[in-house]
Amino acid sequence: MNRQIELLIERAENGEAWAQNDLGCLYNEGKEVGLDYNKSFRLFLASAEQGLAEAQYNLARAYEEGEGVTRDDDKAIYWYTLAANQNYVDAQHNLGCSYFDRKNYNEAEKWFRRAGELGDSKALHALGHIFHHGLGREKDYKEAAKWYRMAAEKENVKAQHQLAIFYFEGKGVEENKTEAFKWALMAANKGHDDAQYKIGVHYLYGVGTEQNDQQAFSYFHTAAEQGHNYAQCELALCYEGGIGVEQSDEEGIKWLRLSAENGNAEAQYMLGRVYYQGRVVEKNVEETIKWFLCAAEQGHCEAQYYLWAFYDEGKGVEQNTEEGIKWLRLSAENGNAEAQYMLGRVYYQGRVVEKNVEETIKWFRCAAEQGHCEAQYYLWAFYDAGEGVEQNTEEAQKWLSLAAKQGHEKAKELLEEEPGEK
């Protein structure tokens, strides 16, 4: 081996381009010779100037990474271009990436296409991404699906995962849960954590495949161990309910806490509830509020609603009605029907904010349209009396009937009192 290195050095010193490049690679990687970026750069430069495409590519990477030379993205693009024009596929792909980073999507697409024509799966995936997100052009899911499929068929794991999502959602292709499962499984078995999580969901609910709790648990566990916080949350629920695994509160809390610590808003909310209920851990209102706040700051409407209650009552925190209303309003704006109803009541009572019947009706309507029977009942009263709205018996009757159908006792009694109403 030492003799081979000596011969390589000799040929490189004699100006043979391939030897200069190969020796540069050894210095760049620290193989058989000491790691030395300065030497590798000089050797790549000497070889690249002789027109060797591989050396031009390696020189471009040296400029891009700042290995043995001051980083210079413009010079990297210059040398990538020389190599790319010799159909060096890795240079074409990297040149596409360089233009992509500069948001020059037309040039990026051009070089990704050239690399894709030579079978580069990363370039094919990148083309799918460009059409998927409408970068430098209109979004085109059908075209994106075409490129994702080409990349996926070349075993590109990211493309397989994205193609699975397209089949699941019916984007660019006809919705097909079985196809979604097939492509997600390919990506999952290559170690893609989000695909593993999605396969767990497929098995848990029997979507696109037969329902299988054990397989669901297995894929959730594999993804969770890679740090996938949604999988960690699902794994916690599996342990809590004994789904596909022996029930274990201890393991459930462990994974729920990991998911919460990794930023999963639903896990943060659930952990807050666990601390409030004191069912598995010792009851701790301070910990409850801590985790509710984490979830609420991410827009979790249930956590926002409960924070309103804590601040309004001064439970575990200093009473602060202004802070409470802030969280109640956020919860309502994020679609929580109970929060919408309560915000309507707050405006009607005028206890914390100035009384405003129009705002009351606005929020009651939001809640009522989501099926909140109390809000429906009170909308009947407003329309029946013409309070805050123009009196409208037909509209009033509509809301009263909806509330009664959901079992609202007073609404049912009122309907029974009216002849001919059932």
Side-chain angles (χ1 to χ4, degrees), residues 112-344:
F112 285 144
R113 281 184 182 273
R114 286 188 60 176
E117 288 168 0
L118 295 174
D120 186 82
S121 72
K122 297 192 298 290
L124 294 169
H125 172 262
L127 285 167
H129 183 83
I130 285 172
F131 283 97
H132 181 181
H133 297 283
L135 302 174
R137 58 174 54 253
E138 293 279 327
K139 285 184 181 181
D140 189 335
Y141 293 137
K142 188 174 181 180
E143 188 72 8
K146 179 188 87 173
W147 293 109
Y148 282 145
R149 177 177 288 280
M150 290 172 67
E153 288 172 347
K154 291 184 175 294
E155 304 299 320
N156 185 286
V157 66
K158 290 182 179 178
Q160 290 171 340
H161 174 245
Q162 192 59 60
L163 191 58
I165 295 173
F166 270 30
Y167 272 112
F168 193 88
E169 297 177 353
K171 275 186 178 177
V173 292
E174 189 175 341
E175 183 182 317
N176 188 322
K177 299 297 195 288
T178 302
E179 279 291 298
F181 175 79
K182 180 185 87 173
W183 290 106
L185 186 61
M186 289 184 190
N189 289 339
K190 290 187 179 72
H192 194 290
D193 63 343
D194 197 48
Q196 290 165 346
Y197 162 71
K198 287 182 171 65
I199 287 296
V201 174
H202 275 278
Y203 275 122
L204 185 65
Y205 297 104
V207 177
T209 187
E210 289 187 13
Q211 199 277 338
N212 189 316
D213 287 343
Q214 287 72 32
Q215 287 281 43
F217 170 81
S218 176
Y219 278 97
F220 285 148
H221 195 275
T222 303
E225 287 186 325
Q226 292 195 67
H228 193 286
N229 62 34
Y230 284 96
Q232 290 168 340
C233 187
E234 289 292 341
L235 194 60
L237 294 172
C238 286
Y239 275 113
E240 182 186 17
I243 301 170
V245 66
E246 186 177 344
Q247 197 277 339
S248 171
D249 287 334
E250 184 179 346
E251 281 293 304
I253 287 296
K254 181 186 90 171
W255 288 107
L256 186 64
R257 188 182 303 281
L258 277 172
S259 181
E261 290 171 350
N262 285 330
N264 184 296
E266 185 63 26
Q268 292 166 343
Y269 168 68
M270 289 167 60
L271 189 57
R273 286 181 62 90
V274 166
Y275 273 112
Y276 188 69
Q277 294 164 352
R279 182 172 53 82
V280 182
V281 297
E282 187 175 346
K283 183 168 182 173
N284 188 320
V285 178
E286 288 72 22
E287 281 290 303
T288 295
I289 293 168
K290 165 190 161 183
W291 290 111
F292 278 176
L293 270 170
C294 289
E297 286 169 352
Q298 293 195 70
H300 193 289
C301 62
E302 290 289 333
Q304 291 168 337
Y305 175 74
Y306 282 108
L307 277 180
W308 160 72
F310 281 115
Y311 277 108
D312 190 60
E313 298 172 15
K315 183 180 281 189
V317 290
E318 185 176 344
Q319 188 176 33
N320 186 330
T321 53
E322 185 177 339
E323 185 72 5
I325 287 296
K326 179 190 89 172
W327 289 113
L328 183 63
R329 187 182 304 282
L330 282 170
S331 181
E333 289 170 350
N334 284 329
N336 184 292
E338 188 64 28
Q340 292 166 344
Y341 168 67
M342 291 306 302
L343 187 57

Side-chain angles (χ1 to χ4, degrees), residues 41-54:
F41 172 78
R42 289 196 297 271
L43 287 160
F44 290 150
L45 178 60
S47 180
E49 287 176 339
Q50 295 190 64
L52 187 70
E54 185 179 350

Side-chain angles (χ1 to χ4, degrees), residues 377 380 400 409-418:
Y377 174 74
W380 158 76
L400 188 65
E409 291 300 326
K410 289 184 179 178
K412 286 162 67 176
E413 289 173 10
L414 285 166
L415 281 177
E416 287 169 3
E417 290 174 4
E418 298 179 21

